[in-house]
Amino acid sequence: MSLFKARDWWSATLGENEEFDQGCLSVADVDNSGSGQDKIIVGSYSGFLRIFSPHPSKAGEGVQAEDLLLEVQLRDPVLQVEVGKFVSGTELLHLAVLQPKKLSVYSVSGTLGNVEHGNQYQIKLMYEHNLQRTACNMTHGPFGGVKGRDLICIQSMDGMLMFFEQESYAFGRYLPGFLLPGPLRYSPKTDSFVTVSSCRQVESYKYQVLAVATEADTKKEKEQQKIGSGKKLLADWILNIGEQALDISIVSFNHTVFSIFVLGERNFFCLKGNGQIRFMKKLEYSPSCFLPYCSVSEGTINSLVGNHNNMLLVYQDVTLRWAAQLPHIPVAVKVANFQDMKGIIVTLSDSGHLQCSYFGTDPSLFQAPKVESRDINYEELDKEMKELQRIIKEATKTQDILPKIEKEDDLILLANVSPTLDAVSQAVDSAVESEAVPSVTVKFCIRTRLHVQKTVLSIVVPPFLALTQDQFIFYSVEPGMSKSVSVSVFLKGNCPPEDLEGNAVVSYSTPTELNPEGVPRVAQCKFRLPLRLVCLPIQPSKAANHKLTIDTNKPPVNLVNLFPDFIEHGDDDQVNVLGFQLLAGQKVTLLASKTSQRYRIQSEKFEDLWLITKELITQFEDYFLKQGIKDFTCSFSGPVPLQDYFELIDQHFELRMNTEKYENLLSERAVQFRAIQKLLLTRFKDKTPAPLQNLDTLLDGTYRQVTGIADATEELQNNLFRAFIRLKAATHLIIVLIGLWQKLSKDQVSILESTFLPLQQDGQELGWEESVDAALSHLLRTCLSKSSKEQALNLTSQLSIPKDTSKLKKHITLLCDRLAKGGRLSLSADSGSQQSVLIQGFSMTSQVSLDNE
């Protein structure tokens, strides 16, 4: 009903997408007009400062142009605005504006206008204090009982109270046991400061105790703010309220005793000056702001309390006297006087809805319209009913066959890698030739908001890494429940892994009414294992066959910050060289230049550079992201070490050819072995025995050859697999170097990865060489082509193992050359368009002949 709505007298919407809080609103005669008419001062987190003087011609009218007296934009967010006697030598009111790193005091003045545009208002900066600590809130008052002026106390985010005697800084004092800042108010009657600590206690500190506890210091103002020295600070009194506080207000009206009001999260407290509770009120809602504003009858105090239900409630002590509906959630509330109207309620929402309202009983003139009477058409009703029944029947046919797609996932899978290695290694059956093989624990947590069944968790790690258990089965998981399992990962094979990223997949079923077996679903997550799992710190080496240099655009970073696990405690603070010993590989050395922004990685094997290079780039990105730096980039000046890469390709291809040769030989010996078996079986079945003619000796020799060739083939296959993993590591390194060299985007790097790493497993029927060569040929004939003749060439539809690697190496070299000359990777529809290449200032189209063998 309209009886319980706050009547809108004047309202305004401030800015767009701005944020406000309880300290952003203040009302006072800030321009010292002497008319007794208050002005509304509003500051926002976007840095805007506005001053309003509402003059509605009729109740409920919106903001007019002349209502906004002043609007300025400051550089930093406005945390709090207060009005007081902040300038020495005068008792006029001035405006104090608190920002994260600055306190500014302004004078607001108006000039009478000579034209119809009205009066002009301006602000003048009287003085400002640059803060060395980030501010949270402030309070003001006649500290120490001074007359005719107000001092300011600012609470910083780290718990320091900074006192300012107007234009000068007085002293700073840390609050004992501080964790997070709370509301802060000054009590003039007791000359003390009241706050609520993180221990959920109301604490009071005398100003004289604060001043005496601070040692005299003759240092400069900035140094005084940086160092809060002094004796131990003791509270005057402490009261445990058991909850965090939203705001504190200290009032002393006529006919009432001095009171301290504390608004908690669920309770409303009124305290005496010595910290004893006068009364408390348990609230049945979540409050947002409050204001004790007057005393109507002797011994009682009226208070306004706003809540998150858009309600504004009036309490007389603990008794609810009125409740009114607001159009928004108030975060700040004040009472002001405008145009001979006393007691106008000013409220501000967090989104900038500013409203002046009053509690009235204006009746609502709305009347419900009469329903038009009409004759009922039963035929149309019957037709409509049949259509609705048909729609319902169609809808019930497919209802709940498939689960409804929710905005939130039905099941969430989380992986948490332990920051430290296991104290007792869980490695078993490891082929690594090392005294101790470390292991690390990974914890997986499954959370579900629905009933799921047939839940299977599968964990996969890169080759040559192993798990203590790679699969877990949960037959049923109830809603709201979580399942946690832990596994250990360790290095099992005698070869460095190609990557340190694992993958976990959980498959589950969500049953429905019409499908009790459940609909299969899948959730997955990835996790990154620490580098310490596969290598140990070692003394760096100066000599190496393979070296890479990575450039950055930021000053050199101490390697202690990038690789803290590889540096023992007690080492020098500045470390610019590190040694890594791969458990199944060679020694890798990382050197950081002291003067330039370069980092060198070197090793005896080219493929062993990959893990350290990737970890270095990843640590760089994490380090600068924590520093808030977003423009960090790495680069590689080239040339790309293709010859080292080609040696690994030749080794892998040679092992493929040898493996194929031995497999063919094994097939021949197996055929020979079966043929000898058939001859011997025929001789043994013959009724007239005949001499064996050394067939038994031949069978025995063939058997030994089959077993020997099978063992050699198995060893070759293991070597081929290790060579493939080493080749993939080197390929990852080449892709990263090309991306850094040509500053490729993520999409272009993804195209390179799809081109060079098309296979997860290598085989004789479909191998790495022919797959990569086909992908390279496609790129060279489409987005990297230089002539229409190249685009017209068709690729062969059948892939077979090549005779050698010369064509593959030629295509890799050609790819790098065309990227260096301006070519760009793309998979768009017009990627086959002809591209011109700039060479020494001339635009030309070059034609490159490609082998089509």
Side-chain angles (χ1 to χ4, degrees), residues 550-559 561-562 574-576 591-599 616 619-621 623-624 627 629-634:
I550 303 296
D551 299 332
T552 64
N553 64 339
K554 297 298 176 184
V557 181
N558 190 358
L559 296 183
N561 300 325
L562 300 180
Q574 184 66 30
V575 176
N576 62 346
L591 300 97
S593 175
K594 295 181 180 179
T595 57
S596 62
Q597 303 167 359
R598 294 186 172 185
Y599 302 83
L616 176 65
Q619 293 296 334
F620 270 143
E621 293 173 350
Y623 174 79
F624 286 108
Q627 300 293 326
I629 300 174
K630 299 181 180 180
D631 60 343
F632 167 76
T633 57
C634 291

Side-chain angles (χ1 to χ4, degrees), residues 652 720-728 759-760 762 768:
H652 175 262
L720 177 62
F721 182 68
R722 282 193 291 270
F724 181 61
I725 297 301
R726 291 196 296 268
L727 178 61
K728 289 180 69 176
L759 301 177
Q760 292 297 324
D762 194 24
W768 182 84

Side-chain angles (χ1 to χ4, degrees), residues 464-639:
F464 298 110
L465 292 176
L467 296 155
T468 52
Q469 187 174 348
D470 61 356
Q471 193 176 76
F472 297 88
I473 299 176
F474 309 99
Y475 293 99
S476 179
V477 182
E478 296 299 326
M481 301 293 292
S482 63
K483 298 285 186 178
S484 299
V485 294
S486 297
V487 298
S488 291
V489 187
F490 58 91
L491 183 63
K492 187 173 184 179
N494 194 17
C495 179
E498 59 169 303
D499 201 357
L500 292 177
E501 188 176 85
N503 193 12
V505 179
V506 58
S507 61
Y508 60 98
S509 298
T510 54
T512 60
E513 294 182 3
L514 300 181
N515 191 358
E517 292 296 323
V519 178
R521 291 287 187 89
V522 172
Q524 63 177 347
C525 72
K526 294 183 179 180
F527 55 93
R528 192 174 74 182
L529 299 170
L531 182 64
R532 193 71 168 77
L533 186 66
V534 295
C535 65
L536 300 173
I538 197 173
Q539 288 296 326
S541 175
K542 294 183 179 180
N545 294 331
H546 305 279
K547 300 178 182 179
L548 294 176
T549 301
I550 303 296
D551 299 332
T552 64
N553 64 339
K554 297 298 176 184
V557 181
N558 190 358
L559 296 183
V560 175
N561 300 325
L562 300 180
F563 299 94
D565 297 340
F566 290 86
I567 298 175
E568 299 179 357
H569 297 288
D571 288 353
D572 296 336
D573 293 337
Q574 184 66 30
V575 176
N576 62 346
V577 59
L578 280 180
F580 305 88
Q581 176 61 58
L582 295 175
L583 296 178
Q586 297 295 321
K587 181 188 297 185
V588 182
T589 303
L590 172 61
L591 300 97
S593 175
K594 295 181 180 179
T595 57
S596 62
Q597 303 167 359
R598 294 186 172 185
Y599 302 83
R600 173 173 290 179
I601 309 105
Q602 57 187 27
S603 177
E604 294 297 326
K605 287 188 176 181
F606 179 70
E607 64 272 17
D608 289 345
L609 298 172
W610 161 239
L611 289 179
I612 308 302
T613 304
K614 181 183 180 183
E615 188 71 17
L616 176 65
I617 296 175
T618 303
Q619 293 296 334
F620 270 143
E621 293 173 350
D622 295 344
Y623 174 79
F624 286 108
L625 187 61
K626 292 179 181 178
Q627 300 293 326
I629 300 174
K630 299 181 180 180
D631 60 343
F632 167 76
T633 57
C634 291
S635 60
F636 177 68
S637 58

